[in-house]
Amino acid sequence: MQHPIFAAVKKQKRAIVLEDVLVQDYAAEGKCLARVDGKVIFIEGTVPGDVVDVQLQKSKKDWAEGYPLRFKKYSADRVLPFCSHFGICGGCQWQSLPYEKQLLYKQKQVNDNLSRIGKVILPELFSIIGADETRHYRNKLEFTFCNKKFIPSDEFRKLKSEGAEIINEGGFGGFHAKGVFDKIVEIDTCHLQHEPTNLIRKAIVAYALENNLPFYDIKSHQGWLRNVVVRSATTGELMINIVLGYDEENQTKLFDQLLKQFPQITTLLYTINKKFNDSIFDLNPQVYFGKGSIIEQLEDFQFKISPKSFFQTNTKQAEKLYHIAREYAELDGTQTLYDLYCGTGSIGIFASKNAKKIIGVELIAQAIEDAKENAALNNILHSVFVTGDVIDICDDAFFETHGRPDVVITDPPRAGMHEKLVKKLLEIAAPIIVYVSCNPATQARDIALLDEKYAVTKIQPVDMFPHTHHIENVMQLKLKL
Ligand code: SAH
């Protein structure tokens, strides 16, 4: 019963193996924990209740880290993963737990972080808001094309013993394989996005194979077909951006064929990427068909999404998240609202109807361009969006120019807020802070600092990413009297 992920991991010399370890609880970052001889062992790829032999990768005085070499007993909580690529593809690692259990662990994770790290007086957490749709929830999916595919060693052995032909070179579409940089996991059906996403990927693969067009070789950085990004909106609009290593005379034939085969595509772009990395941020996507962007709708607000725009990837849950953030802001039409780490301005725009003024701050200039465009699209005239680092922008002069904040909504990346910003927020003392976080550990650290002047009044976790360990949490903080 060897776990397929670990078949790829090289066996280490004199590696320590702990036998018959009972996995006791969920820890964090997708890892579970067990206690052996008073030492905490963090184990990946398991669920509480499993009994495993653990191969240690790191062993310190009080803790160690490892992966399951063998499963001796599977937890009674386990359910059969619905995806045939589970364990090999790096995504959706919690499929082996029922969704209710996933939610329970996420709720507990928020609670544990806040009480252990935050150590402040807390109201009772509201129950985590789960997703109605636990599959097909992503509005953006990126596949990689590659000339080599990864075959897990047990499948390899099986094919060999059957005398079957092993084909691991040619042209494939899928996701990067965990721990193997130059090969991809070939995907048949990915359940993260509604069709025609998988069908589009397969049609592109088939076209390239039929026409002898080379798939990208990650090691030598040669080849034509690199990636495809599919973005869909609840409005029905569908954008695809095909990333290619170089211009190829006949590429329009592929584009025309896709448009004919998939009339759902409302805009098609292609991007030439001659770089060694996959990021398209410094590249120029070319519009081949349609308007080059799609429109997403949350309530009656519209958002323009371009190939490079950031947008929350789970539209339906984003709507719920923004709804809570807006409710916690307690706006009555008279307040000045700051939207810090605003991205493309979506939270501020969502809350705009009941704010006197919105001021958004964001590091990425392109996102601020989108935010301004989105504000215009929704006829929001009482907004200002500023590009820059929050710790440089949010100084006394800034607050003097735009008005003292009545409400601050802050939505930092995983690292949480910079201490300098937390200090500024304490100084400026807005009556309400709404803290949206994708990392309860850094959120807990920050509220411990804010505790000097703020009381936590509401806590609401939201699940944005079913079958993954990622957690989103919204908090309302009020100035202590
Ligand atoms: N509130 C937005 C985006 C949140 S993601 C939404 O819901 O869509 C966090 C954002 O913080 C990212 O857009 C990132 O570019 C931005 N960011 C990261 N560090 C920053 C900093 N130091 N100053 C300003 N913005 C920052």
Side-chain angles (χ1 to χ4, degrees):
M1 285 200 283
Q2 191 179 41
H3 197 284
I5 284 182
F6 306 113
V9 179
K10 268 196 200 146
K11 292 231 165 70
Q12 293 163 357
K13 274 185 199 160
R14 286 193 295 119
I16 305 169
V17 176
L18 302 175
E19 293 193 350
D20 299 313
V21 175
L22 170 67
V23 180
Q24 289 165 337
D25 200 357
Y26 175 65
E29 304 293 321
K31 290 184 181 140
C32 285
L33 66 81
R35 283 182 190 83
V36 179
D37 299 332
K39 201 160 158 171
V40 179
I41 321 286
F42 296 101
I43 315 165
E44 58 179 283
T46 55
V47 306
D50 284 340
V51 177
V52 288
D53 290 347
V54 185
Q55 165 101 55
L56 296 189
Q57 289 163 304
K58 255 188 212 164
S59 185
K60 307 273 179 195
K61 195 164 149 269
D62 306 318
W63 62 274
E65 209 173 72
Y67 61 88
L69 200 58
R70 252 165 259 110
F71 283 82
K72 293 291 188 62
K73 203 182 119 208
Y74 284 120
S75 167
D77 283 343
R78 275 185 182 262
V79 288
L80 219 55
F82 52 81
C83 179
S84 62
H85 305 293
F86 175 76
I88 300 161
C89 160
C92 309
Q93 287 172 346
W94 274 21
Q95 275 174 67
S96 44
L97 275 178
Y99 189 53
E100 306 72 58
K101 275 269 150 87
Q102 295 178 19
L103 292 178
L104 212 87
Y105 284 121
K106 290 190 186 190
Q107 174 98 6
K108 189 165 169 287
Q109 182 76 12
V110 175
N111 207 359
D112 287 355
N113 273 295
L114 296 181
S115 47
R116 264 192 230 141
I117 308 170
K119 290 195 171 64
V120 300
I121 300 168
L122 296 172
E124 199 171 327
L125 269 72
F126 291 118
S127 288
I128 185 166
I129 297 176
D132 300 323
E133 280 183 68
T134 59
R135 295 187 206 176
H136 312 125
Y137 61 78
R138 283 185 69 97
N139 54 33
K140 180 183 176 192
L141 207 56
E142 172 163 1
F143 293 111
T144 301
F145 300 108
C146 183
N147 64 343
K148 291 193 192 74
K149 81 165 172 175
F150 170 70
I151 302 178
S153 47
D154 26 4
E155 191 186 325
F156 192 87
R157 274 194 296 274
K158 190 170 160 264
L159 289 170
K160 252 198 149 156
S161 69
E162 288 166 357
E165 194 188 355
I166 295 167
I167 303 166
N168 58 1
E169 293 205 13
F172 312 96
F175 296 122
H176 285 285
K178 198 183 167 195
V180 188
F181 95 99
D182 63 335
K183 300 182 180 72
I184 59 151
V185 176
E186 188 182 32
I187 298 293
D188 181 42
T189 301
C190 172
H191 302 269
L192 282 169
Q193 199 173 42
H194 278 293
E195 294 300 358
T197 298
N198 291 297
L199 299 172
I200 289 173
R201 168 179 35 84
K202 288 178 185 174
I204 297 173
V205 168
Y207 180 89
L209 289 174
E210 274 160 27
N211 292 279
N212 278 323
L213 292 163
F215 286 63
Y216 197 63
D217 183 309
I218 303 171
K219 238 183 199 164
S220 70
H221 297 288
Q222 280 173 354
W224 175 66
L225 194 54
R226 294 192 65 161
N227 306 85
V228 65
V229 185
V230 184
R231 298 185 82 159
S232 59
T234 54
T235 51
E237 295 189 342
L238 187 70
M239 168 163 68
I240 70 167
N241 180 20
I242 304 170
V243 185
L244 304 167
Y246 52 86
D247 271 304
E248 155 69 48
E249 219 180 305
N250 289 328
Q251 63 201 25
T252 52
K253 279 197 191 143
L254 164 67
F255 306 157
D256 292 336
Q257 185 186 307
L258 289 172
L259 290 169
K260 198 165 156 224
Q261 203 175 338
F262 304 102
Q264 304 96 316
I265 298 172
T266 54
T267 187
L268 187 150
L269 302 98
Y270 67 96
T271 306
I272 303 299
N273 181 8
K274 296 182 191 288
K275 300 180 306 163
F276 284 8
N277 65 50
D278 281 346
S279 161
I280 63 156
F281 275 97
D282 45 359
L283 300 172
N284 280 322
Q286 304 292 313
V287 181
Y288 181 73
F289 169 78
K291 56 189 177 187
S293 59
I294 52 173
I295 295 288
E296 184 52 283
Q297 182 146 351
L298 301 184
E299 283 188 348
D300 48 1
F301 297 102
Q302 296 195 326
F303 298 91
K304 180 180 158 197
I305 303 177
S306 309
K308 296 201 243 178
S309 308
F310 173 84
F311 196 78
Q312 292 279 354
T313 45
N314 184 339
T315 310
K316 296 216 169 118
Q317 290 303 92
E319 192 165 341
K320 292 183 195 168
L321 180 79
Y322 292 172
H323 203 275
I324 291 154
R326 182 175 61 194
E327 187 190 312
Y328 285 9
E330 296 185 11
L331 299 165
D332 62 12
T334 64
Q335 294 113 319
T336 300
L337 168 70
Y338 280 74
D339 180 7
L340 304 184
Y341 306 90
C342 70
T344 46
S346 33
I347 298 185
I349 290 169
F350 199 79
S352 59
K353 278 187 190 153
N354 295 321
K356 191 173 81 185
K357 188 176 175 186
I358 315 156
I359 302 101
V361 184
E362 157 66 42
L363 192 61
I364 312 277
Q366 175 72 47
I368 287 295
E369 290 305 307
D370 290 344
K372 286 179 184 165
E373 212 170 315
N374 284 331
L377 192 65
N378 292 286
N379 291 319
I380 294 164
L381 306 173
H382 56 309
S383 62
V384 183
F385 291 100
V386 184
T387 306
D389 191 319
V390 282
I391 58 170
D392 300 328
I393 300 288
C394 299
D395 59 9
D396 292 335
F398 184 69
F399 288 118
E400 210 149 286
T401 309
H402 298 289
R404 280 191 89 78
D406 298 298
V407 181
V408 173
I409 296 180
T410 182
D411 183 9
R414 286 185 57 75
M417 288 196 280
H418 194 286
E419 200 175 331
K420 219 170 132 188
L421 177 67
V422 178
K423 287 206 172 117
K424 196 76 216 168
L425 290 181
L426 283 166
E427 222 180 280
I428 219 85
I432 295 181
I433 295 178
V434 179
Y435 191 152
V436 182
S437 163
C438 54
N439 183 352
T442 53
Q443 188 182 33
R445 179 202 66 202
D446 294 345
I447 60 152
L449 298 174
L450 288 167
D451 182 59
E452 192 185 314
K453 283 196 182 168
Y454 285 91
V456 178
T457 40
K458 283 174 189 160
I459 308 170
Q460 176 67 71
V462 181
D463 186 25
M464 306 291 284
F465 303 104
H467 312 301
T468 77
H469 63 264
H470 296 289
I471 304 173
E472 200 82 14
N473 188 43
V474 194
M475 270 193 203
Q476 185 196 54
L477 294 101
K478 286 194 170 173
L479 206 56
K480 288 179 191 169
L481 298 174

